[in-house]
Amino acid sequence: MKLELRGITKRFGALTANDHIDLTVEPGEIHCLLGENGAGKSTLMNVLYGLYQADEGEIVLDDVVQHFAGPGDAMNAGIGMVHQHFMLIPVFTVAENVMLGHEQTKFGGRLDLNAARAKVREISDRFGFDVDPDALVDDLPVGVQQRVEIIKALSRDAKVLVFDEPTAVLTPQETDELMAIMRLLKERGTSIVFITHKLREVREVADRITVIRLGKVVGEASPTATNAELASLMVGRAVELTVQKAPAQPGKPALQVSNLSVIDPRGQVVVNDVSFEVRAGEILAIAGVQGNGQTELTEALMGLQSRVSGTVSLDGRSLVGMSVRKVLDAGVGFVPEDRKEDGLVGEFTIAENLMLDRSEGKPFVKGGNLQLSFLNGFAEDRSKEFDVRSQGIQTAVGRLSGGNQQKVVLARELSRELRLFVAAQPTRGIDVGSIEFVHKRIVATRDEGIPVVVVSTELDEVVALADRIAVMYRGSIVGIVPGTTSRDVLGLMMAGEVPAGIDVEGTAA
């Protein structure tokens, strides 16, 4: 099936998310839609899938203009979508999930589960998915759950399949398996739209590449284009993609974590007996698929978790039981994984956000009075140093791009005397140019002799920054390995397996 999007425009109030976008996907083609988070990729696909209605433009399938009032119309026309966050019911079986919304009944009005099982087996055999129709979705690995999503779409005769950031929750091995599945779908005649911001994946699987920036198509590229060429199209300027760093010169252990466990509000152990140390002047990256305890571990270090056991000490001083304020006052800089929720106050100005955790005394407050002249000078200097691009320091942070918001957080946290720097998902949702800047500042912090902990689900980022890598799986540290460890080994560790012959510093409990 041939898909054409002609002049698609979608507005949300004053924001134009898609601006007269044209896109053609040929039958049996893998067409990659490349762009940074916020570029408008997912909005465009939500228009195609009937979740949004376009303000202008039209959708054409095999030369017939379509009018989708909702996802049901899109599915009936042959459009399927595999969402970044799976649309599955965990307590249902695979067969029950596949038939949901398209239930078949037999005599007496009872659900025909046998028909659903047969459909799952037929599609699974055809594409080599190896999925048990009677397995509970909650018991399946993430990569297999994604196959269930694909089976759902194919069971409804999808001729055009949209993958929206499909590798965000996959290990490297699961990502490779997904690429193989996409190639097989293509060989069987399915047209694929692959939405991503990861350059390596684009070049590996795409037949053609369309690049979107700020809601507009800015160019097309071949998979033979270099990463640098694709990145410059995404950002609009040349970008240095390789992190330049000299070998670490680590000093004595600074952060020491021993037998740390965290219990969540449901009573589940989400961090299980974790131990590691970080030396002065080195970067320890904590890797793992999202949801394996990294968030809770970071929150425990910062005093944000209440049900914590074990010890956390910085330069010999215990941090367990301290309030967040006292942890910060102890010299810990913190970049939270959700800057909008936990790192910034959107209605406050750039200047006000730069003093958020230092508003109780000198030099910003004296005698109970805010020292505006000092604050403004400080904000001007930090904005220049960290290349915060805005209309001025009185601009509300909520009006800045994601990359500039992250620079404000970095400017605040790195402009104090630090004894430890913790950065959780430091480049999530920001453009390639801002990623380049953030990485340079993290390495510069290490080179000043400060211990750094980076938590990231982006394996490329982990490999680029880390001097040592701790891999988490189901709340435990599988092992700690050198920063030079191969992606294949790290991928297996992210799935809970330590390959034979690999020396690790720690093992899971």
Side-chain angles (χ1 to χ4, degrees):
M1 179 180 286
K2 181 177 181 179
L3 165 68
E4 295 177 87
L5 303 180
R6 299 174 180 172
I8 297 294
T9 298
K10 179 61 183 175
R11 303 181 186 91
F12 298 96
L15 172 68
T16 301
N18 294 149
D19 191 353
H20 296 91
I21 289 181
D22 295 325
L23 179 73
T24 300
V25 183
E26 299 292 343
E29 175 185 57
I30 300 176
H31 195 123
C32 178
L33 201 57
L34 177 65
E36 286 301 313
N37 290 313
K41 310 183 301 296
S42 293
T43 298
L44 183 65
M45 290 303 101
N46 284 334
V47 169
L48 170 62
Y49 198 56
L51 289 167
Y52 295 152
Q53 307 302 310
D55 297 305
E56 299 176 34
E58 57 188 15
I59 300 168
V60 181
L61 296 174
D62 285 342
D63 299 321
V64 178
V65 176
Q66 306 292 318
H67 301 283
F68 298 153
D73 292 343
M75 286 187 278
N76 290 335
I79 307 293
M81 192 163 183
V82 178
H83 299 268
Q84 179 177 350
H85 304 290
F86 303 153
M87 304 295 183
L88 300 173
I89 308 298
V91 297
F92 282 10
T93 67
V94 171
E96 289 167 340
N97 270 280
V98 168
M99 75 184 307
L100 191 63
H102 290 74
E103 294 85 352
Q104 289 180 265
T105 57
K106 53 187 177 181
F107 182 76
R110 290 177 296 173
L111 291 176
D112 191 352
L113 271 172
N114 286 332
R117 292 187 183 103
K119 176 66 77 172
V120 171
R121 290 193 187 97
E122 185 269 321
I123 296 173
S124 184
D125 291 344
R126 194 189 336 157
F127 293 97
F129 285 171
D130 190 24
V131 175
D132 178 2
D134 292 315
L136 282 179
V137 163
D138 201 30
D139 295 335
L140 298 176
V142 172
V144 179
Q145 289 185 29
Q146 191 170 67
R147 295 181 188 185
V148 177
E149 285 276 25
I150 297 170
I151 290 172
K152 272 177 58 180
L154 294 176
S155 72
R156 296 163 192 178
D157 297 321
K159 303 296 190 301
V160 178
L161 202 52
V162 179
F163 289 85
D164 186 3
E165 298 282 3
T167 64
V169 294
L170 302 183
T171 66
Q173 282 77 9
E174 288 171 331
T175 296
D176 291 340
E177 291 170 4
L178 176 63
M179 300 291 124
I181 289 170
M182 291 171 69
R183 293 188 192 98
L184 184 56
L185 288 166
K186 166 191 166 181
E187 290 173 8
R188 302 290 171 87
T190 304
S191 303
I192 294 175
V193 182
F194 177 30
I195 305 174
T196 187
H197 65 276
K198 298 181 180 179
L199 302 178
R200 185 178 64 86
E201 296 170 4
V202 170
R203 298 179 63 223
E204 184 174 331
V205 79
D207 295 312
R208 282 194 301 149
I209 302 165
T210 295
V211 182
I212 294 182
R213 184 170 74 241
L214 299 176
K216 296 182 179 181
V217 172
V218 294
E220 286 199 358
S222 162
T224 59
T226 65
N227 283 350
E229 290 169 338
L230 293 173
S232 66
L233 268 177
M234 291 166 67
V235 180
R237 64 174 178 83
V239 178
E240 185 178 327
L241 295 175
T242 304
V243 177
Q244 303 294 331
K245 63 185 177 74
Q249 303 294 325
K252 64 180 182 180
L255 175 69
Q256 295 179 300
V257 177
S258 299
N259 308 116
L260 183 69
S261 294
V262 178
I263 299 175
D264 71 8
R266 300 172 299 166
Q268 302 294 316
V269 178
V270 288
V271 177
N272 185 15
D273 198 26
V274 164
S275 299
F276 62 88
E277 67 178 24
V278 188
R279 292 167 287 182
E282 75 165 348
I283 298 172
L284 175 74
I286 299 177
V289 176
Q290 185 73 39
N292 278 278
Q294 307 97 310
T295 297
E296 293 82 2
L297 171 61
T298 307
E299 291 174 346
L301 296 180
M302 297 306 303
L304 287 163
Q305 285 284 343
S306 57
R307 302 176 69 182
V308 176
S309 62
T311 63
V312 178
S313 63
L314 178 61
D315 295 333
R317 181 184 181 186
S318 176
L319 300 183
V320 173
M322 280 189 177
S323 66
V324 178
R325 163 68 68 181
K326 288 184 177 180
V327 171
L328 294 171
D329 288 345
V332 181
F334 179 45
V335 176
E337 64 180 63
D338 188 338
R339 59 182 167 271
K340 291 184 179 180
E341 184 71 23
D342 302 315
L344 299 164
V345 179
E347 295 80 9
F348 283 13
T349 66
I350 292 172
E352 289 166 339
N353 273 278
L354 285 170
M355 62 168 282
L356 274 183
D357 55 7
R358 287 181 286 175
S359 58
E360 294 186 343
K362 295 180 180 179
F364 296 101
V365 177
K366 184 177 180 181
N369 296 314
L370 178 62
Q371 303 299 294
L372 278 175
S373 60
F374 179 86
L375 173 60
N376 290 339
F378 174 83
E380 292 283 4
D381 291 344
R382 295 293 81 73
S383 293
K384 183 177 181 181
E385 178 186 355
F386 285 82
D387 191 30
V388 179
R389 300 179 185 182
S390 69
Q391 298 295 316
I393 61 170
Q394 300 307 319
T395 302
V397 158
R399 293 172 56 190
L400 302 180
S401 68
N404 283 300
Q405 288 179 352
Q406 193 75 330
K407 289 177 183 178
V408 172
V409 176
L410 281 169
R412 182 183 66 228
E413 299 303 308
L414 294 178
S415 61
R416 299 184 286 124
E417 289 190 17
L418 293 182
R419 295 163 64 187
L420 171 68
F421 183 52
V422 179
Q425 314 298 344
T427 59
R428 175 176 286 171
I430 66 177
D431 63 64
V432 175
S434 296
I435 290 173
E436 173 191 22
F437 180 88
V438 170
H439 285 171
K440 285 181 177 179
R441 293 301 307 210
I442 290 174
V443 171
T445 301
R446 178 205 74 167
D447 292 344
E448 291 170 7
I450 297 167
V452 177
V453 176
V454 172
V455 180
S456 179
T457 55
E458 296 285 352
L459 192 52
D460 288 339
E461 179 167 68
V462 167
V463 171
L465 289 175
D467 299 309
R468 291 187 300 134
I469 302 170
V471 182
M472 289 194 72
Y473 176 71
R474 293 188 176 178
S476 298
I477 288 184
V478 177
I480 302 175
V481 293
T484 53
T485 302
S486 73
R487 291 176 57 92
D488 288 343
V489 169
L490 292 172
L492 289 172
M493 293 178 70
M494 289 164 67
E497 175 185 345
V498 179
I502 300 298
D503 292 328
V504 298
E505 296 179 33
T507 57

